[in-house]
Every structure is written in structure tokens, then in C-alpha cells.
Amino acid sequence: MAGKKIIQIVGFQNSGKTSLIEKLIKACKKKGIAVGTIKHHGHGGTPDRPFLNKDTDRHRQAGAAVTAVEGAGALHIEVMKDYWELEDIIRIYGQLPVDIILVEGYKKMDYPKVVLLRNQQDEILLQQLTNIIAVISHEHLSRTPYYPIFGSDEMDRFVHWFMKKINETED
């Protein structure tokens, strides 16, 4: 989508995606960059109200201008239809005052991705996913991929790298 950068934050459950997004939102907000977030509710079924007060609420409290969660066809920006494609949601966000869209989940989509790995078993994601721009790992990787790798204890270094990356002009 012209004018808006879209970055996916992906990993298995409890890999630190929401915590990372909170840090990125805060860093962007300090620089005057308006952030919108989209979360995929990958646990099956429609997200209910208590769920909305979980990860997406953390995004909002961190300073996101717009948040959404999708699951089983329910998109919580209270709009209902049979099924929501990520592209449909991004088109809606294209009309909103955000500079960057952080997408939590939707592993199979082809936007630039930061992949979070909890352990060596999670490294399977590096073979399955496309458009990986960086990896954050809790453990040493069994092999070295061709993109920047950050330890889970290097969040400040990663946020600095990320802010430089999103300010690069697109070719």
C-alpha cells in the first residue's frame, strides 16, 4: 500500500510477538510515526471481548493509533463479513492516519517479516516463511541464515535497527 510500510511480526505462541510490538510502537511514537496494528487471532473461533482486552489492548496502551484483531471472520474494528483477508484489512487501514502497519501473525503472507524463535525446533519457520528481514531468537540458531539475527536479550539493538530500516526509502 503506497505510503504505508507493512511489517509482520511472526512466531509461534508465547514467542514474544506482542511484547516486541509494544516496544516498536513506543519507539515509533517517540519519532512521531503513527502506528496501526493488526493481530491475527490464530487460536480458532472468533475473538471475544475479553480477548480484545488482551494483546490488542496492549498495542493500544503502548500508543498504537489504530488496532484490530481478526479471527474466524470477525474483525474487531466491529465490522462483520464472512471472512477477512489481510489485504481487506490493510485496505481499510489505508484510509486511516497511520504511517506504518505492524501485523502480528498471518505467517503465510508475503510482507517483510521479523521472525521470533523460542528454541531450535521453531527454526522450521525459517524454511517455511518468505520475505524474512530479521530474526530474534531466544537460543543460538543451529545454522546461520542470510538476514540479521538478534538475541532476545538484544531488544534495544533490534529496535534501533528496526527504526533505521523503516526510515530507508523504498527503491
Side-chain angles (χ1 to χ4, degrees), residues 18-104:
T18 302
S19 295
L20 176 59
I21 286 179
E22 286 177 299
K23 289 179 188 337
L24 297 177
I25 292 167
K26 289 174 183 176
C28 287
K29 191 170 181 181
K30 278 184 185 176
K31 297 288 186 185
I33 299 169
V35 179
T37 65
I38 301 170
K39 175 165 177 37
H40 183 246
H41 177 56
H43 308 292
T46 60
D48 53 44
R49 287 286 176 200
F51 184 83
L52 196 58
N53 292 325
K54 194 176 175 192
D55 292 348
T56 52
D57 209 35
R58 288 175 60 186
H59 296 176
R60 188 173 17 266
Q61 289 173 4
V66 178
T67 64
V69 60
E70 183 279 332
L75 174 63
H76 283 217
I77 304 176
E78 296 294 327
V79 180
M80 294 294 295
K81 71 179 213 173
D82 289 340
Y83 177 77
W84 284 93
E85 294 285 343
L86 178 58
E87 294 300 328
D88 296 332
I89 303 166
I90 288 172
R91 270 192 291 285
I92 292 169
Y93 273 51
Q95 303 304 308
L96 301 174
V98 297
D99 303 307
I100 185 170
I101 300 169
L102 298 178
V103 178
E104 184 174 334

Side-chain angles (χ1 to χ4, degrees), residues 7 112-115 130-135 147-148 150 161-162 165:
I7 308 286
K113 289 177 190 63
V114 175
V115 180
T130 60
N131 211 353
I132 298 170
I133 60 170
V135 172
Y147 21 79
F150 299 87
W161 175 88
F162 180 86
K165 183 82 172 163

